[in-house]
Amino acid sequence: MEEKRIALLIDSDNISADYIDIILDKVNEEGVTTYRRIYGDWTRPEAAKWKKVLLENSIIPIQQYNNTTGKNSTDSALIIDAMDILYTGKIDGFCIVSSDSDFTRLASRLREENKMVIGMGEDKTPTSLIASYSKFFNLSAFKKSAEKEKDKTPARDRQNIIARKTIERRVRGIIIANNSKDKETSLGEIGSKLQNRWADFDVSNYNKNSLSDLIAEFKSLRLVKRGTLVTVELKDK
């Protein structure tokens, strides 16, 4: 089955760059991001942190100056682009990253066009905005969970195992998302989604000859072979 094509639109004025890994991980569980755009006034000192992660994650910055006090031109630019992208007919869904209630009508309008609309925001996201989405991810909750997992790893070991831990966490997320849809997770899908998430992903970087070799070393995962089909599952605790 062909993966959904998703337009990722981020409101940098409203969301911290600290969430970038969570944002890309969760949207990659839903499909392939054919558009990656982020909106904001890049002349502001607060935007500096976002600038550092844009190139390495292939996200296109859209400059918007706030010419009028009290008016957020960033919101307007994101809304206009979303509608332009909608009418190209080239995507299956949208992911709007913001906690701003101004996007409530946009999300509802996109759903009226039978598009999947994923929302991502912090704890402060209004209930009305959450209700307008097809699916919502609370970034604050995911960040707290990730920090707890990090704290379990001895400080002296983090430098060496963080890459493998990140890969394992990503694969687990893919499987859990598929399980919620009663869908098996093939080894081929894992490889495709890891490549979508990290363009430079290569098993040889981990001294492995194949993806199955890398997956086999993760304690929380297991490979299941049925004829020529190889799937990946979570191990029972």
Side-chain angles (χ1 to χ4, degrees), residues 33 42 46 51 62 82 89 117 121 156 162 192 197 225 236:
T33 50
W42 304 106
E46 303 92 297
K51 290 179 183 178
I62 308 297
V117 188
R156 66 179 182 278
I162 188 62
S192 176
R197 177 62 180 86
K225 297 181 181 180
D236 295 330

Side-chain angles (χ1 to χ4, degrees), residues 110-123:
L110 296 174
R111 287 187 65 185
E112 288 172 359
E113 295 294 328
N114 293 317
K115 298 299 181 183
M116 174 179 69
V117 188
I118 303 163
M120 296 189 191
E122 297 175 299
D123 287 335

Side-chain angles (χ1 to χ4, degrees), residues 74 90 105 124 148 151 163 182 201 206 233:
T74 295
K90 295 179 180 179
R105 181 65 186 108
K124 63 185 178 182
K148 286 181 181 178
D151 288 342
D182 293 324
F201 175 75
Y206 308 94
E233 298 177 355

